[in-house]
Amino acid sequence: MNTPRPRSSKAEARTQAQRERILQAAQQCFIEHGFHAAGMAKIAETAGMSPGLIYRYFENKGAIIQAIVQRQLDLVREDIRLNRKVDLAKELADTYGSQRHADGRHLSAPLLLEVSAEATRDPQIAAAVQHFDRQLRQSLQEWLGRDKQAGGPGIAAQDIPKRVLVLQLLFEGMRLRETREPDLDRTLLEDGLREVIAHLLQP
Protein backbone atom coordinates (compact mmCIF):
# COMPACT_ATOMS: atom_id res chain seq x y z
CA MET A 1 0.00 0.00 0.00
CA ASN A 2 1.31 3.38 -0.96
CA THR A 3 1.65 5.88 1.86
CA PRO A 4 1.05 9.59 1.20
CA ARG A 5 4.22 11.57 0.73
CA PRO A 6 4.75 14.22 3.39
CA ARG A 7 4.31 17.75 2.16
CA SER A 8 7.53 19.67 1.70
CA SER A 9 8.31 22.65 3.89
CA LYS A 10 8.13 24.78 0.75
CA ALA A 11 4.59 23.57 0.01
CA GLU A 12 3.56 24.15 3.62
CA ALA A 13 4.97 27.66 3.52
CA ARG A 14 3.09 28.40 0.31
CA THR A 15 -0.15 27.09 1.80
CA GLN A 16 0.32 29.22 4.90
CA ALA A 17 1.12 32.29 2.80
CA GLN A 18 -2.03 31.78 0.69
CA ARG A 19 -4.19 31.34 3.77
CA GLU A 20 -2.72 34.48 5.32
CA ARG A 21 -3.36 36.42 2.13
CA ILE A 22 -7.00 35.32 2.15
CA LEU A 23 -7.47 36.11 5.84
CA GLN A 24 -6.06 39.61 5.49
CA ALA A 25 -8.26 40.27 2.46
CA ALA A 26 -11.31 38.93 4.31
CA GLN A 27 -10.63 41.12 7.33
CA GLN A 28 -10.39 44.17 5.11
CA CYS A 29 -13.65 43.27 3.33
CA PHE A 30 -15.55 42.53 6.54
CA ILE A 31 -14.47 45.86 7.99
CA GLU A 32 -15.27 47.89 4.87
CA HIS A 33 -18.47 46.18 3.76
CA GLY A 34 -19.78 44.15 6.71
CA PHE A 35 -19.88 40.38 6.96
CA HIS A 36 -22.92 39.73 4.81
CA ALA A 37 -22.11 42.25 2.07
CA ALA A 38 -18.58 40.86 1.68
CA GLY A 39 -19.08 37.80 -0.51
CA MET A 40 -16.43 35.31 -1.50
CA ALA A 41 -16.11 37.04 -4.87
CA LYS A 42 -15.28 40.35 -3.14
CA ILE A 43 -12.76 38.62 -0.89
CA ALA A 44 -11.19 36.96 -3.91
CA GLU A 45 -10.95 40.28 -5.74
CA THR A 46 -9.31 41.92 -2.73
CA ALA A 47 -6.87 39.02 -2.35
CA GLY A 48 -6.08 39.10 -6.06
CA MET A 49 -7.03 35.50 -6.68
CA SER A 50 -9.91 33.49 -8.11
CA PRO A 51 -12.90 32.45 -5.93
CA GLY A 52 -12.14 28.86 -6.84
CA LEU A 53 -8.68 29.14 -5.30
CA ILE A 54 -10.12 30.50 -2.06
CA TYR A 55 -12.43 27.48 -1.80
CA ARG A 56 -9.36 25.26 -1.86
CA TYR A 57 -8.41 26.71 1.52
CA PHE A 58 -11.74 27.66 3.12
CA GLU A 59 -15.14 26.02 2.72
CA ASN A 60 -17.10 29.24 3.24
CA LYS A 61 -17.07 32.64 4.96
CA GLY A 62 -17.84 31.01 8.29
CA ALA A 63 -14.65 28.98 8.02
CA ILE A 64 -12.72 32.17 7.28
CA ILE A 65 -14.13 33.86 10.37
CA GLN A 66 -13.23 30.84 12.49
CA ALA A 67 -9.67 30.98 11.15
CA ILE A 68 -9.42 34.70 11.90
CA VAL A 69 -10.58 34.12 15.48
CA GLN A 70 -8.16 31.21 15.95
CA ARG A 71 -5.25 33.20 14.54
CA GLN A 72 -5.98 36.05 16.93
CA LEU A 73 -6.09 33.60 19.84
CA ASP A 74 -2.74 32.10 18.82
CA LEU A 75 -1.14 35.55 18.61
CA VAL A 76 -2.49 36.71 21.97
CA ARG A 77 -1.51 33.50 23.76
CA GLU A 78 1.99 33.63 22.26
CA ASP A 79 2.34 37.23 23.45
CA ILE A 80 1.29 36.21 26.97
CA ARG A 81 3.75 33.29 26.95
CA LEU A 82 6.71 35.61 26.29
CA ASN A 83 7.08 36.24 30.05
CA ARG A 84 7.98 39.86 29.41
CA LYS A 85 7.25 42.59 31.90
CA VAL A 86 4.27 44.56 30.62
CA ASP A 87 3.12 48.11 31.26
CA LEU A 88 -0.45 47.11 30.48
CA ALA A 89 -1.96 50.58 30.88
CA LYS A 90 0.52 52.10 28.41
CA GLU A 91 0.15 49.27 25.89
CA LEU A 92 -3.64 49.50 25.92
CA ALA A 93 -3.56 53.28 25.59
CA ASP A 94 -0.97 53.15 22.79
CA THR A 95 -2.95 50.64 20.73
CA TYR A 96 -6.33 52.29 21.29
CA GLY A 97 -7.76 53.36 17.96
CA SER A 98 -4.82 51.94 15.98
CA GLN A 99 -6.60 48.70 15.09
CA ARG A 100 -9.41 50.06 12.95
CA HIS A 101 -7.76 48.64 9.85
CA ALA A 102 -6.94 45.02 9.10
CA ASP A 103 -3.21 44.46 9.63
CA GLY A 104 -3.24 40.69 10.01
CA ARG A 105 -2.38 40.73 13.73
CA HIS A 106 -5.30 42.45 15.43
CA LEU A 107 -9.02 41.88 15.62
CA SER A 108 -10.04 45.48 14.99
CA ALA A 109 -13.00 47.03 16.77
CA PRO A 110 -15.31 46.98 13.72
CA LEU A 111 -14.37 43.38 12.97
CA LEU A 112 -14.93 42.38 16.60
CA LEU A 113 -18.47 43.76 16.35
CA GLU A 114 -19.06 41.89 13.08
CA VAL A 115 -17.81 38.61 14.56
CA SER A 116 -19.82 39.06 17.75
CA ALA A 117 -23.00 39.77 15.79
CA GLU A 118 -22.47 36.78 13.51
CA ALA A 119 -21.86 34.56 16.53
CA THR A 120 -25.48 35.16 17.58
CA ARG A 121 -26.63 33.61 14.29
CA ASP A 122 -24.03 31.00 13.38
CA PRO A 123 -23.44 28.16 15.89
CA GLN A 124 -19.99 27.34 14.49
CA ILE A 125 -18.79 30.92 14.83
CA ALA A 126 -20.37 31.08 18.29
CA ALA A 127 -18.38 27.99 19.24
CA ALA A 128 -15.16 29.56 17.90
CA VAL A 129 -15.77 32.75 19.90
CA GLN A 130 -16.55 30.77 23.06
CA HIS A 131 -13.36 28.75 22.56
CA PHE A 132 -11.43 32.01 22.16
CA ASP A 133 -12.89 33.35 25.43
CA ARG A 134 -12.10 30.17 27.37
CA GLN A 135 -8.55 29.90 26.10
CA LEU A 136 -7.80 33.58 26.59
CA ARG A 137 -9.16 33.42 30.13
CA GLN A 138 -6.96 30.42 30.86
CA SER A 139 -3.87 32.18 29.50
CA LEU A 140 -4.62 35.33 31.53
CA GLN A 141 -5.11 33.23 34.64
CA GLU A 142 -1.72 31.62 34.13
CA TRP A 143 -0.11 35.05 33.64
CA LEU A 144 -1.70 36.59 36.73
CA GLY A 145 -0.50 33.66 38.81
CA ARG A 146 3.15 34.01 37.78
CA ASP A 147 5.51 35.65 40.23
CA LYS A 148 7.25 38.88 39.29
CA GLN A 149 10.50 37.15 38.37
CA ALA A 150 8.55 35.26 35.67
CA GLY A 151 6.89 38.41 34.33
CA GLY A 152 3.59 38.19 36.20
CA PRO A 153 2.04 40.06 39.12
CA GLY A 154 1.89 37.04 41.45
CA ILE A 155 -1.78 37.31 42.39
CA ALA A 156 -3.22 34.84 44.90
CA ALA A 157 -5.07 31.93 43.28
CA GLN A 158 -8.42 32.73 44.89
CA ASP A 159 -8.38 36.27 43.46
CA ILE A 160 -7.40 35.39 39.89
CA PRO A 161 -10.76 34.37 38.29
CA LYS A 162 -12.61 37.57 39.19
CA ARG A 163 -9.72 39.79 38.11
CA VAL A 164 -9.37 37.99 34.78
CA LEU A 165 -13.07 38.48 34.15
CA VAL A 166 -12.79 42.22 34.78
CA LEU A 167 -9.73 42.43 32.51
CA GLN A 168 -11.65 40.75 29.69
CA LEU A 169 -14.54 43.14 30.18
CA LEU A 170 -12.09 46.04 30.11
CA PHE A 171 -10.42 44.84 26.89
CA GLU A 172 -13.73 44.33 25.10
CA GLY A 173 -15.21 47.57 26.39
CA MET A 174 -12.26 49.49 25.02
CA ARG A 175 -12.72 47.92 21.57
CA LEU A 176 -16.34 49.03 21.59
CA ARG A 177 -15.41 52.55 22.73
CA GLU A 178 -12.98 52.80 19.79
CA THR A 179 -15.87 52.65 17.36
CA ARG A 180 -17.62 55.55 19.10
CA GLU A 181 -14.74 57.73 20.23
CA PRO A 182 -11.60 56.93 18.21
CA ASP A 183 -9.96 60.26 19.08
CA LEU A 184 -10.27 59.86 22.83
CA ASP A 185 -7.63 61.77 24.81
CA ARG A 186 -4.80 59.22 25.19
CA THR A 187 -3.35 60.87 28.30
CA LEU A 188 -6.70 60.76 30.04
CA LEU A 189 -7.15 57.16 28.94
CA GLU A 190 -3.73 56.02 30.13
CA ASP A 191 -4.11 57.78 33.49
CA GLY A 192 -7.49 56.17 34.05
CA LEU A 193 -6.26 52.75 32.97
CA ARG A 194 -3.23 53.01 35.21
CA GLU A 195 -5.38 53.50 38.29
CA VAL A 196 -7.77 50.65 37.46
CA ILE A 197 -5.10 48.19 36.34
CA ALA A 198 -2.89 48.92 39.35
CA HIS A 199 -5.76 47.70 41.52
CA LEU A 200 -6.45 44.65 39.36
CA LEU A 201 -2.78 43.60 39.39
CA GLN A 202 -2.22 44.25 43.08
CA PRO A 203 -1.01 40.97 44.71
Side-chain angles (χ1 to χ4, degrees), residues 18-19 21-23 25-26 29 39-61 63-64:
Q18 291 287 67
R19 284 176 57 87
R21 182 176 169 187
I22 294 167
L23 294 180
C29 289
M40 294 294 267
K42 175 60 70 175
I43 295 171
E45 179 185 349
T46 303
M49 61 178 63
S50 69
L53 183 57
I54 288 184
Y55 282 111
R56 288 180 56 186
Y57 298 96
F58 297 100
E59 181 181 2
N60 50 39
K61 284 196 299 182
I64 292 176

mmCIF file of all heavy atoms in Angstrom, residues 18-19 21-23 25-26 29 39-61 63-64:
data_model
loop_
_atom_site.group_PDB
_atom_site.id
_atom_site.type_symbol
_atom_site.label_atom_id
_atom_site.label_comp_id
_atom_site.label_asym_id
_atom_site.label_seq_id
_atom_site.Cartn_x
_atom_site.Cartn_y
_atom_site.Cartn_z
ATOM 1 N N GLN A 18 -0.752 31.598 1.382
ATOM 2 C CA GLN A 18 -2.026 31.776 0.693
ATOM 3 C C GLN A 18 -3.163 31.975 1.682
ATOM 4 O O GLN A 18 -4.034 32.828 1.493
ATOM 5 C CB GLN A 18 -2.311 30.575 -0.205
ATOM 6 C CG GLN A 18 -1.404 30.454 -1.416
ATOM 7 C CD GLN A 18 -1.721 31.483 -2.482
ATOM 8 O OE1 GLN A 18 -1.526 32.683 -2.297
ATOM 9 N NE2 GLN A 18 -2.225 31.020 -3.624
ATOM 10 N N ARG A 19 -3.156 31.198 2.740
ATOM 11 C CA ARG A 19 -4.194 31.336 3.775
ATOM 12 C C ARG A 19 -4.116 32.725 4.414
ATOM 13 O O ARG A 19 -5.131 33.372 4.639
ATOM 14 C CB ARG A 19 -4.034 30.250 4.845
ATOM 15 C CG ARG A 19 -4.507 28.866 4.413
ATOM 16 C CD ARG A 19 -4.212 27.832 5.491
ATOM 17 N NE ARG A 19 -4.829 28.188 6.748
ATOM 18 C CZ ARG A 19 -6.079 27.867 7.101
ATOM 19 N NH1 ARG A 19 -6.846 27.173 6.270
ATOM 20 N NH2 ARG A 19 -6.564 28.231 8.281
ATOM 21 N N ARG A 21 -2.917 35.440 3.127
ATOM 22 C CA ARG A 21 -3.357 36.416 2.126
ATOM 23 C C ARG A 21 -4.882 36.500 2.098
ATOM 24 O O ARG A 21 -5.461 37.591 2.029
ATOM 25 C CB ARG A 21 -2.818 35.980 0.772
ATOM 26 C CG ARG A 21 -3.125 36.882 -0.412
ATOM 27 C CD ARG A 21 -2.418 36.309 -1.624
ATOM 28 N NE ARG A 21 -2.829 36.936 -2.863
ATOM 29 C CZ ARG A 21 -2.435 36.510 -4.064
ATOM 30 N NH1 ARG A 21 -1.618 35.475 -4.154
ATOM 31 N NH2 ARG A 21 -2.843 37.136 -5.153
ATOM 32 N N ILE A 22 -5.539 35.354 2.158
ATOM 33 C CA ILE A 22 -7.004 35.318 2.152
ATOM 34 C C ILE A 22 -7.567 35.930 3.433
ATOM 35 O O ILE A 22 -8.518 36.717 3.397
ATOM 36 C CB ILE A 22 -7.499 33.870 1.991
ATOM 37 C CG1 ILE A 22 -7.123 33.330 0.608
ATOM 38 C CG2 ILE A 22 -9.017 33.787 2.202
ATOM 39 C CD1 ILE A 22 -7.289 31.828 0.459
ATOM 40 N N LEU A 23 -6.970 35.593 4.567
ATOM 41 C CA LEU A 23 -7.469 36.107 5.845
ATOM 42 C C LEU A 23 -7.339 37.627 5.918
ATOM 43 O O LEU A 23 -8.252 38.308 6.408
ATOM 44 C CB LEU A 23 -6.728 35.447 7.006
ATOM 45 C CG LEU A 23 -6.962 33.944 7.199
ATOM 46 C CD1 LEU A 23 -6.167 33.421 8.385
ATOM 47 C CD2 LEU A 23 -8.447 33.647 7.391
ATOM 48 N N ALA A 25 -7.280 39.705 3.387
ATOM 49 C CA ALA A 25 -8.264 40.275 2.461
ATOM 50 C C ALA A 25 -9.664 40.198 3.056
ATOM 51 O O ALA A 25 -10.456 41.149 2.945
ATOM 52 C CB ALA A 25 -8.219 39.521 1.131
ATOM 53 N N ALA A 26 -9.981 39.092 3.704
ATOM 54 C CA ALA A 26 -11.306 38.927 4.307
ATOM 55 C C ALA A 26 -11.522 39.940 5.426
ATOM 56 O O ALA A 26 -12.587 40.558 5.531
ATOM 57 C CB ALA A 26 -11.464 37.506 4.835
ATOM 58 N N CYS A 29 -12.301 43.238 3.906
ATOM 59 C CA CYS A 29 -13.645 43.268 3.329
ATOM 60 C C CYS A 29 -14.719 43.320 4.411
ATOM 61 O O CYS A 29 -15.710 44.053 4.280
ATOM 62 C CB CYS A 29 -13.868 42.036 2.445
ATOM 63 S SG CYS A 29 -12.934 42.054 0.909
ATOM 64 N N GLY A 39 -18.999 39.164 -0.001
ATOM 65 C CA GLY A 39 -19.081 37.800 -0.507
ATOM 66 C C GLY A 39 -17.714 37.238 -0.838
ATOM 67 O O GLY A 39 -16.698 37.937 -0.828
ATOM 68 N N MET A 40 -17.695 35.956 -1.152
ATOM 69 C CA MET A 40 -16.428 35.306 -1.495
ATOM 70 C C MET A 40 -15.799 35.940 -2.734
ATOM 71 O O MET A 40 -14.577 36.011 -2.851
ATOM 72 C CB MET A 40 -16.654 33.815 -1.703
ATOM 73 C CG MET A 40 -17.070 33.071 -0.433
ATOM 74 S SD MET A 40 -15.774 33.036 0.833
ATOM 75 C CE MET A 40 -14.977 31.477 0.440
ATOM 76 N N ALA A 41 -16.635 36.395 -3.667
ATOM 77 C CA ALA A 41 -16.106 37.044 -4.874
ATOM 78 C C ALA A 41 -15.364 38.328 -4.508
ATOM 79 O O ALA A 41 -14.301 38.631 -5.067
ATOM 80 C CB ALA A 41 -17.227 37.339 -5.858
ATOM 81 N N LYS A 42 -15.930 39.107 -3.573
ATOM 82 C CA LYS A 42 -15.282 40.349 -3.139
ATOM 83 C C LYS A 42 -13.969 40.042 -2.417
ATOM 84 O O LYS A 42 -12.965 40.736 -2.607
ATOM 85 C CB LYS A 42 -16.222 41.137 -2.232
ATOM 86 C CG LYS A 42 -15.629 42.396 -1.605
ATOM 87 C CD LYS A 42 -15.170 43.405 -2.641
ATOM 88 C CE LYS A 42 -16.364 44.029 -3.336
ATOM 89 N NZ LYS A 42 -15.923 45.104 -4.269
ATOM 90 N N ILE A 43 -13.983 39.014 -1.588
ATOM 91 C CA ILE A 43 -12.759 38.624 -0.885
ATOM 92 C C ILE A 43 -11.694 38.186 -1.886
ATOM 93 O O ILE A 43 -10.523 38.548 -1.773
ATOM 94 C CB ILE A 43 -13.055 37.498 0.126
ATOM 95 C CG1 ILE A 43 -13.991 38.014 1.236
ATOM 96 C CG2 ILE A 43 -11.759 36.969 0.747
ATOM 97 C CD1 ILE A 43 -14.504 36.925 2.157
ATOM 98 N N ALA A 44 -12.125 37.418 -2.886
ATOM 99 C CA ALA A 44 -11.185 36.960 -3.908
ATOM 100 C C ALA A 44 -10.587 38.133 -4.672
ATOM 101 O O ALA A 44 -9.378 38.182 -4.934
ATOM 102 C CB ALA A 44 -11.901 36.013 -4.873
ATOM 103 N N GLU A 45 -11.427 39.091 -5.029
ATOM 104 C CA GLU A 45 -10.951 40.278 -5.738
ATOM 105 C C GLU A 45 -9.925 41.043 -4.910
ATOM 106 O O GLU A 45 -8.888 41.478 -5.414
ATOM 107 C CB GLU A 45 -12.137 41.178 -6.075
ATOM 108 C CG GLU A 45 -11.768 42.464 -6.791
ATOM 109 C CD GLU A 45 -12.959 43.393 -6.996
ATOM 110 O OE1 GLU A 45 -14.111 42.961 -6.767
ATOM 111 O OE2 GLU A 45 -12.736 44.549 -7.375
ATOM 112 N N THR A 46 -10.221 41.204 -3.616
ATOM 113 C CA THR A 46 -9.309 41.922 -2.730
ATOM 114 C C THR A 46 -7.998 41.171 -2.558
ATOM 115 O O THR A 46 -6.918 41.785 -2.477
ATOM 116 C CB THR A 46 -9.974 42.138 -1.357
ATOM 117 O OG1 THR A 46 -11.208 42.844 -1.528
ATOM 118 C CG2 THR A 46 -9.074 42.936 -0.417
ATOM 119 N N ALA A 47 -8.078 39.839 -2.509
ATOM 120 C CA ALA A 47 -6.870 39.023 -2.349
ATOM 121 C C ALA A 47 -6.098 38.875 -3.643
ATOM 122 O O ALA A 47 -4.942 38.413 -3.634
ATOM 123 C CB ALA A 47 -7.253 37.643 -1.815
ATOM 124 N N GLY A 48 -6.741 39.243 -4.782
ATOM 125 C CA GLY A 48 -6.077 39.104 -6.064
ATOM 126 C C GLY A 48 -5.973 37.667 -6.523
ATOM 127 O O GLY A 48 -4.945 37.265 -7.101
ATOM 128 N N MET A 49 -7.011 36.893 -6.260
ATOM 129 C CA MET A 49 -7.031 35.495 -6.683
ATOM 130 C C MET A 49 -8.443 35.102 -7.080
ATOM 131 O O MET A 49 -9.393 35.866 -6.861
ATOM 132 C CB MET A 49 -6.503 34.576 -5.579
ATOM 133 C CG MET A 49 -7.306 34.609 -4.291
ATOM 134 S SD MET A 49 -6.693 33.470 -3.016
ATOM 135 C CE MET A 49 -5.065 34.118 -2.683
ATOM 136 N N SER A 50 -8.599 33.932 -7.660
ATOM 137 C CA SER A 50 -9.913 33.486 -8.113
ATOM 138 C C SER A 50 -10.718 32.942 -6.941
ATOM 139 O O SER A 50 -10.143 32.412 -5.981
ATOM 140 C CB SER A 50 -9.772 32.390 -9.172
ATOM 141 O OG SER A 50 -9.271 31.203 -8.582
ATOM 142 N N PRO A 51 -12.070 33.060 -6.984
ATOM 143 C CA PRO A 51 -12.897 32.455 -5.927
ATOM 144 C C PRO A 51 -12.643 30.966 -5.779
ATOM 145 O O PRO A 51 -12.637 30.434 -4.657
ATOM 146 C CB PRO A 51 -14.317 32.739 -6.402
ATOM 147 C CG PRO A 51 -14.201 33.952 -7.264
ATOM 148 C CD PRO A 51 -12.871 33.819 -7.952
ATOM 149 N N GLY A 52 -12.396 30.282 -6.898
ATOM 150 C CA GLY A 52 -12.139 28.856 -6.835
ATOM 151 C C GLY A 52 -10.919 28.524 -6.002
ATOM 152 O O GLY A 52 -10.900 27.518 -5.281
ATOM 153 N N LEU A 53 -9.890 29.372 -6.079
ATOM 154 C CA LEU A 53 -8.680 29.139 -5.299
ATOM 155 C C LEU A 53 -8.965 29.316 -3.806
ATOM 156 O O LEU A 53 -8.446 28.564 -2.978
ATOM 157 C CB LEU A 53 -7.573 30.087 -5.753
ATOM 158 C CG LEU A 53 -6.212 29.909 -5.071
ATOM 159 C CD1 LEU A 53 -5.704 28.482 -5.248
ATOM 160 C CD2 LEU A 53 -5.210 30.917 -5.623
ATOM 161 N N ILE A 54 -9.784 30.300 -3.468
ATOM 162 C CA ILE A 54 -10.124 30.501 -2.062
ATOM 163 C C ILE A 54 -10.812 29.274 -1.493
ATOM 164 O O ILE A 54 -10.544 28.840 -0.365
ATOM 165 C CB ILE A 54 -11.018 31.749 -1.893
ATOM 166 C CG1 ILE A 54 -10.184 33.012 -2.126
ATOM 167 C CG2 ILE A 54 -11.650 31.791 -0.500
ATOM 168 C CD1 ILE A 54 -10.925 34.293 -1.884
ATOM 169 N N TYR A 55 -11.699 28.660 -2.285
ATOM 170 C CA TYR A 55 -12.428 27.484 -1.805
ATOM 171 C C TYR A 55 -11.506 26.283 -1.605
ATOM 172 O O TYR A 55 -11.901 25.311 -0.956
ATOM 173 C CB TYR A 55 -13.565 27.132 -2.769
ATOM 174 C CG TYR A 55 -14.775 28.024 -2.620
ATOM 175 C CD1 TYR A 55 -15.121 28.925 -3.626
ATOM 176 C CD2 TYR A 55 -15.563 27.974 -1.474
ATOM 177 C CE1 TYR A 55 -16.227 29.750 -3.504
ATOM 178 C CE2 TYR A 55 -16.669 28.798 -1.334
ATOM 179 C CZ TYR A 55 -17.005 29.682 -2.350
ATOM 180 O OH TYR A 55 -18.099 30.491 -2.215
ATOM 181 N N ARG A 56 -10.323 26.325 -2.142
ATOM 182 C CA ARG A 56 -9.356 25.259 -1.864
ATOM 183 C C ARG A 56 -8.861 25.327 -0.423
ATOM 184 O O ARG A 56 -8.411 24.319 0.134
ATOM 185 C CB ARG A 56 -8.167 25.361 -2.812
ATOM 186 C CG ARG A 56 -8.447 24.958 -4.253
ATOM 187 C CD ARG A 56 -7.213 25.089 -5.115
ATOM 188 N NE ARG A 56 -6.085 24.333 -4.592
ATOM 189 C CZ ARG A 56 -4.861 24.380 -5.114
ATOM 190 N NH1 ARG A 56 -4.616 25.160 -6.176
ATOM 191 N NH2 ARG A 56 -3.882 23.673 -4.587
ATOM 192 N N TYR A 57 -8.935 26.520 0.162
ATOM 193 C CA TYR A 57 -8.414 26.710 1.516
ATOM 194 C C TYR A 57 -9.506 26.870 2.570
ATOM 195 O O TYR A 57 -9.297 26.515 3.732
ATOM 196 C CB TYR A 57 -7.500 27.945 1.546
ATOM 197 C CG TYR A 57 -6.294 27.808 0.657
ATOM 198 C CD1 TYR A 57 -6.291 28.334 -0.634
ATOM 199 C CD2 TYR A 57 -5.162 27.134 1.087
ATOM 200 C CE1 TYR A 57 -5.183 28.198 -1.463
ATOM 201 C CE2 TYR A 57 -4.045 26.994 0.267
ATOM 202 C CZ TYR A 57 -4.073 27.525 -1.005
ATOM 203 O OH TYR A 57 -2.977 27.382 -1.820
ATOM 204 N N PHE A 58 -10.661 27.416 2.168
ATOM 205 C CA PHE A 58 -11.743 27.656 3.117
ATOM 206 C C PHE A 58 -13.077 27.259 2.487
ATOM 207 O O PHE A 58 -13.373 27.646 1.358
ATOM 208 C CB PHE A 58 -11.792 29.134 3.533
ATOM 209 C CG PHE A 58 -10.561 29.598 4.258
ATOM 210 C CD1 PHE A 58 -9.573 30.314 3.583
ATOM 211 C CD2 PHE A 58 -10.375 29.309 5.586
ATOM 212 C CE1 PHE A 58 -8.426 30.729 4.233
ATOM 213 C CE2 PHE A 58 -9.226 29.721 6.258
ATOM 214 C CZ PHE A 58 -8.259 30.431 5.575
ATOM 215 N N GLU A 59 -13.865 26.525 3.237
ATOM 216 C CA GLU A 59 -15.142 26.022 2.718
ATOM 217 C C GLU A 59 -16.135 27.142 2.461
ATOM 218 O O GLU A 59 -16.898 27.112 1.491
ATOM 219 C CB GLU A 59 -15.732 25.014 3.710
ATOM 220 C CG GLU A 59 -17.037 24.399 3.294
ATOM 221 C CD GLU A 59 -17.571 23.430 4.315
ATOM 222 O OE1 GLU A 59 -16.939 23.258 5.375
ATOM 223 O OE2 GLU A 59 -18.646 22.843 4.066
ATOM 224 N N ASN A 60 -16.152 28.150 3.347
ATOM 225 C CA ASN A 60 -17.103 29.244 3.238
ATOM 226 C C ASN A 60 -16.634 30.410 4.105
ATOM 227 O O ASN A 60 -15.555 30.347 4.718
ATOM 228 C CB ASN A 60 -18.512 28.781 3.654
ATOM 229 C CG ASN A 60 -18.492 28.069 5.004
ATOM 230 O OD1 ASN A 60 -17.780 28.464 5.926
ATOM 231 N ND2 ASN A 60 -19.269 27.000 5.114
ATOM 232 N N LYS A 61 -17.457 31.462 4.164
ATOM 233 C CA LYS A 61 -17.071 32.641 4.960
ATOM 234 C C LYS A 61 -17.001 32.305 6.440
ATOM 235 O O LYS A 61 -16.180 32.862 7.176
ATOM 236 C CB LYS A 61 -18.066 33.781 4.727
ATOM 237 C CG LYS A 61 -17.890 34.489 3.417
ATOM 238 C CD LYS A 61 -18.611 35.823 3.391
ATOM 239 C CE LYS A 61 -20.107 35.664 3.576
ATOM 240 N NZ LYS A 61 -20.811 36.960 3.495
ATOM 241 N N ALA A 63 -15.952 29.584 7.770
ATOM 242 C CA ALA A 63 -14.645 28.975 8.019
ATOM 243 C C ALA A 63 -13.549 30.036 8.066
ATOM 244 O O ALA A 63 -12.592 29.921 8.842
ATOM 245 C CB ALA A 63 -14.346 27.942 6.942
ATOM 246 N N ILE A 64 -13.701 31.071 7.250
ATOM 247 C CA ILE A 64 -12.721 32.168 7.276
ATOM 248 C C ILE A 64 -12.777 32.902 8.605
ATOM 249 O O ILE A 64 -11.743 33.195 9.218
ATOM 250 C CB ILE A 64 -12.972 33.138 6.102
ATOM 251 C CG1 ILE A 64 -12.651 32.449 4.763
ATOM 252 C CG2 ILE A 64 -12.129 34.405 6.257
ATOM 253 C CD1 ILE A 64 -12.956 33.300 3.543
#
